[in-house]
Amino acid sequence: MKYTAFLLMAMFGFSYSSAQVNMKFTNPVMNEILSGEYNPVDYMSVKDYSSPEALVGMLSEAVNPDSLKSYLLQLRKFENRNTGSDTLSSTRGIGAARDWILDQFETISSEVDGRLVTGFFQFDQEVCGMMRHKNVTALLPGTDPNAELIIIEAHMDSRCETGCDIDCLAQGMEDNGSGTALVIELARTMSPFAYRNSIMFVTTTGEEQGLIGANALAEYIQVNEIGLKLVQNNDVIGGIICGETSSPPSCPGLNEVDSTQVRLFSRGNFNSPSKGVARFVKLQYQEMLKPIVSVPMMLTLMSAEDRTGRGGDHIPFRERGYAAMRFTSANEHGNASNGVDYHDRQHTSGDILGVDTDSDGELDSFFVDFNYLARNVRINATAAAMAAIGPVTPSIVEYYFDGDVFYIEVSSEIDYPQYVVGIRTDFIDFDSLYYLNNTKAGFFETAARELSIVLTVASIDSNGVESLFSEEIITVLSGTAHPGVTTGKPIKLMGNRPNPFDESTMLSFWVEDEINYSDAYIAITDANGKLVARLGTDVVKGLNEVLYFHGYGASGYLTQTLVINGKVVDSKVMVFAN
Ligand SMILES: [Zn+2]
């Protein structure tokens, strides 16, 4: 995968010796709210809702493709939003663009009695010849000053083939005018309503030079111990046409159209908070939004954190332990490569809003689909709103299997009328959901015949809103009597998860008791028995996990074989599908 290495260089090839310094919000009120020092009465909602369903309905109704189009028409006029571009002009460059975005936030705030607190988040770092940089922020204070923050963000900066080219046409409409427009529209549509959690709408700078705007904000949040519930990053979210190239996992082929799928990227597998949020986002869509929309969307949970060799603004947050995921359109027009033979739009001066096909001076063919972008705004709004009004996450305190029946007991600091137990086996997504009504414990039957099973739980409040899901627990089905779990074998190789998989998959095995070992590894072999990879591993009591990174470009069956002290413990077949 030669070009993967190339892309990694293109993406992270900028190295800056100095980290960001002098980080601050230009509006001091922002700090007061983020530290919980405010009276929610000062930020009362201007619109009420009768139920969570009514809220989602009103949010969905308010999202307007024409608004999104008008934001993009304005963003393109700045011509070049490179991180190092002009900050003095009022019409061109990153300075004019961020001033305009701030102006949008201020206008939105004035329409909701000033309850949206606006300003820049600025920091100093030498990037593309410029020292001072500014993210644009708008903060909607929650009704509970102690509740954690929710961030919805997109990078506003753009680029051409050369990372610091401040003169080229870099309208950056798909990447990432689309995400920027989405964030402004979310601020507009969500701001009239009250939420328990505070919500911050952010457009960042410096994404194209190594995620520096998001990194500065994530660092600030961590250093100042600001509770952060989740981050929804939107990057390349409005295009529907597949280019000649696209980063794996790729789209079908040139000019293929997909306007009904969006990909949810997040890092990790077992017990990943980011993956948990991605599942939550999908579940909220299915339960709350899908029943009322005219065009259903497919939300695809991706096993990888991003496309191969690529990255985005969710990563600096995840690196600091926060739950963060990325929304990206199903079809991308390019892989951000460059050179004379590169014809796609990503990271080129061709990343424009559209073309005037009949030469009448008006764009009549758009590369960003405003209806598709609007559907992604609604998906973001639904997830963020439910996370922001939902109950507190419970935890699993006891569980065991008895044959095909399992027992689970939940603990919660607040009593709720319902809890939902999410179960998954080989897949990223839930296989099934079980409900506990007016109780915190229960027995369930499961059809799963998997040897390993992953459990998590969420609260459901009296309005029917779900919390985020708890830490996951992995256990094994067994035929032995409770209490306690045993595989009946001292070491058990489990099925890889997910299976089938695309880019990477988690291999795991369960060890009943500590053992002495000198050498342990998992061998990956292809259909012909040829060794593809040899993954060394520790052997500890309980769950052992080894990530297998396969990449793309080959498909079919692989076999994983666990070998300890030179002896084969077990083998299992894995399916690589892409
Ligand atoms: Zn981007």
Side-chain angles (χ1 to χ4, degrees):
M1 311 273 319
K2 203 167 125 204
Y3 73 97
T4 299
F6 172 76
L7 281 169
L8 278 167
M9 280 171 58
M11 182 76 215
F12 301 111
F14 310 89
S15 63
Y16 299 99
S17 51
S18 60
Q20 65 286 327
V21 292
N22 301 330
M23 297 179 284
K24 72 166 195 176
F25 286 102
T26 57
N27 182 350
V29 178
M30 203 78 86
N31 281 318
E32 291 170 17
I33 294 162
L34 290 173
S35 56
E37 291 158 16
Y38 67 98
N39 187 346
V41 173
D42 296 338
Y43 301 97
M44 293 289 279
S45 63
V46 298
K47 262 189 199 170
D48 293 328
Y49 54 87
S50 55
S51 68
E53 288 79 8
L55 173 60
V56 171
M58 283 191 280
L59 288 170
S60 178
E61 187 73 29
V63 174
N64 187 345
D66 291 336
S67 298
L68 293 162
K69 182 180 174 180
S70 72
Y71 305 145
L72 281 155
L73 282 167
Q74 179 57 49
L75 283 167
R76 71 197 278 263
K77 289 184 184 164
F78 302 116
E79 293 182 353
N80 184 311
R81 302 193 308 279
N82 189 284
T83 303
S85 62
D86 199 337
T87 57
L88 300 175
S89 166
S90 60
T91 57
R92 190 180 194 280
I94 189 80
R98 71 196 182 199
D99 286 349
W100 176 78
I101 294 166
L102 182 62
D103 195 53
Q104 296 309 296
F105 286 156
E106 286 170 354
T107 302
I108 292 164
S109 189
S110 70
E111 288 162 0
V112 291
D113 296 347
R115 65 191 302 257
L116 192 60
V117 179
T118 59
F120 291 122
F121 173 81
Q122 77 177 33
F123 58 97
D124 294 340
Q125 182 174 1
E126 201 276 314
V127 179
C128 293
M130 194 147 78
M131 269 308 286
R132 176 147 296 176
H133 307 276
K134 296 175 181 181
N135 298 333
V136 191
T137 54
L139 179 59
L140 192 62
T143 55
D144 178 358
N146 296 315
E148 293 174 308
L149 178 68
I150 291 171
I151 290 180
I152 305 172
E153 71 116 68
H155 75 86
M156 63 183 165
D157 62 306
S158 67
R159 58 171 287 186
C160 290
E161 291 87 336
T162 309
C164 290
D165 188 343
I166 58 170
D167 296 316
C168 65
L169 186 68
Q171 293 182 336
M173 288 289 100
E174 284 189 17
D175 188 9
N176 187 29
S178 59
T180 305
L182 172 144
V183 167
I184 298 169
E185 185 68 349
L186 281 167
R188 186 182 74 79
T189 53
M190 295 187 75
S191 291
F193 302 102
Y195 309 90
R196 190 169 67 88
N197 298 73
S198 297
I199 302 174
M200 184 182 272
F201 306 92
V202 186
T203 64
T204 63
T205 188
E207 194 274 349
E208 301 289 6
Q209 285 77 31
L211 322 173
I212 63 155
N215 190 61
L217 183 58
E219 177 72 9
Y220 185 90
I221 283 172
Q222 186 175 52
V223 166
N224 290 283
E225 298 179 349
I226 297 165
L228 180 57
K229 190 170 190 175
L230 60 95
V231 177
Q232 296 176 200
N233 174 32
N234 284 269
D235 194 351
V236 186
I237 190 66
I240 60 174
I241 302 167
C242 185
E244 286 180 46
T245 60
S246 56
S247 296
S250 300
C251 43
L254 182 60
N255 293 333
E256 295 266 357
V257 167
D258 189 342
S259 62
T260 57
Q261 185 188 181
V262 63
R263 296 179 291 175
L264 315 184
F265 286 95
S266 63
R267 172 125 169 165
N269 190 306
F270 173 63
N271 210 16
S272 155
S274 299
K275 202 67 101 213
V277 164
R279 274 190 289 273
F280 175 84
V281 167
K282 182 173 178 179
L283 190 62
Q284 298 315 305
Y285 173 74
Q286 288 171 327
E287 292 178 346
M288 304 299 294
L289 185 58
K290 197 176 177 187
I292 60 168
V293 296
S294 53
V295 180
M297 289 281 283
M298 184 162 91
L299 278 61
T300 305
L301 293 167
M302 307 301 291
S303 59
E305 182 164 42
D306 214 307
R307 297 95 77 230
T308 304
R310 309 287 296 276
D313 276 351
H314 51 312
I315 294 174
F317 292 96
R318 188 272 304 157
E319 285 175 337
R320 289 171 173 83
Y322 302 114
M325 48 82 60
R326 169 181 183 151
F327 295 81
T328 294
S329 57
N331 284 3
E332 281 190 86
H333 205 278
N335 61 8
S337 186
N338 56 29
V340 284
D341 297 328
Y342 184 68
H343 304 298
D344 290 317
R345 292 196 289 273
Q346 218 167 62
H347 296 187
T348 70
S349 54
D351 187 6
I352 54 177
L353 188 53
V355 287
D356 173 12
T357 57
D358 57 5
S359 305
D360 68 349
E362 297 276 328
L363 295 184
D364 45 48
S365 179
F366 294 95
F367 297 150
V368 170
D369 184 294
F370 308 113
N371 288 305
Y372 174 69
L373 182 54
R375 290 195 279 278
N376 289 323
V377 174
R378 294 185 183 105
I379 291 168
N380 269 269
T382 301
M386 292 304 103
I389 66 170
V392 174
T393 302
S395 59
I396 297 171
V397 286
E398 198 175 350
Y399 60 97
Y400 55 76
F401 278 89
D402 183 2
D404 291 343
V405 178
F406 75 89
Y407 171 83
I408 192 161
E409 193 176 323
V410 171
S411 170
S412 174
E413 58 185 81
I414 299 172
D415 286 339
Y416 295 108
Q418 260 192 324
Y419 300 90
V420 56
V421 179
I423 294 184
R424 58 192 194 90
T425 52
D426 285 347
F427 303 102
I428 307 172
D429 206 354
F430 294 125
D431 296 309
S432 44
L433 298 171
Y434 292 96
Y435 293 87
L436 293 166
N437 298 312
N438 302 311
T439 174
K440 284 185 178 152
F443 282 96
F444 303 96
E445 272 186 39
T446 171
R449 291 291 184 274
E450 300 301 318
L451 281 163
S452 63
I453 198 162
V454 177
L455 302 169
T456 180
V457 66
S459 307
I460 304 178
D461 68 15
S462 55
N463 296 315
V465 182
E466 278 149 351
S467 69
L468 294 188
F469 282 85
S470 71
E471 280 188 23
E472 288 186 327
I473 281 168
I474 190 164
T475 185
V476 288
L477 271 183
S478 78
T480 57
H482 62 84
V485 176
T486 173
T487 59
K489 288 183 181 178
I491 303 169
K492 186 73 216 169
L493 180 66
M494 298 170 172
N496 62 298
R497 282 184 305 276
N499 189 32
F501 65 103
D502 41 47
E503 184 182 49
S504 60
T505 190
M506 190 65 82
L507 315 178
S508 54
F509 57 98
W510 184 274
V511 177
E512 279 299 317
D513 290 303
E514 271 176 47
I515 65 160
N516 289 320
Y517 71 99
S518 54
D519 178 47
Y521 63 92
I522 295 176
I524 309 293
T525 48
D526 67 13
N528 300 318
K530 184 168 161 268
L531 186 69
V532 176
R534 187 184 190 277
L535 310 165
T537 177
D538 293 333
V539 182
V540 299
K541 186 180 174 183
L543 182 69
N544 294 264
E545 289 195 310
V546 182
L547 183 70
Y548 171 54
F549 184 87
H550 182 65
Y552 293 91
S555 60
Y557 291 89
L558 297 169
T559 301
Q560 57 155 328
T561 303
L562 175 62
V563 181
I564 298 178
N565 295 335
K567 285 186 179 162
V568 171
V569 175
D570 199 2
S571 290
K572 285 195 179 298
V573 171
M574 325 191 278
V575 182
F576 174 74
N578 181 60

